[in-house]
Amino acid sequence: MFSYEAICFVCQKVFKAEEGSQKYKQLKEDRKGMHYCEQCNDKIRLQAILNFFKN
């Protein structure tokens, strides 16, 4: 099984994206883009939801 290793843009930790996942597809298409680990992605998503309901 193939996987890509990338560095999270927010926390600067290395994370793996396993073959077949959406992250793997994004990394395969754009290796130099801003990519986030699962923990940071969840934090960003939660903050976006909270800010949406505050307005």
Side-chain angles (χ1 to χ4, degrees):
M1 184 160 220
F2 295 106
S3 67
Y4 277 119
E5 286 188 355
I7 298 174
C8 178
F9 186 74
V10 177
C11 66
Q12 302 298 315
K13 293 181 183 176
V14 176
F15 69 95
K16 283 189 175 185
E18 298 294 327
E19 184 178 18
S21 67
Q22 185 66 25
K23 287 275 185 208
Y24 181 86
K25 184 178 178 184
Q26 290 172 349
L27 281 167
K28 190 173 180 181
E29 291 175 358
D30 184 17
R31 292 285 293 159
K32 295 186 181 202
M34 293 187 297
H35 301 286
Y36 308 103
C37 63
E38 289 298 320
Q39 292 85 13
C40 292
N41 193 29
D42 291 342
K43 288 178 190 176
I44 292 168
R45 186 173 156 265
L46 181 62
Q47 285 298 321
I49 291 169
L50 291 175
N51 285 336
F52 178 77
F53 286 115
K54 280 184 182 179
N55 294 330

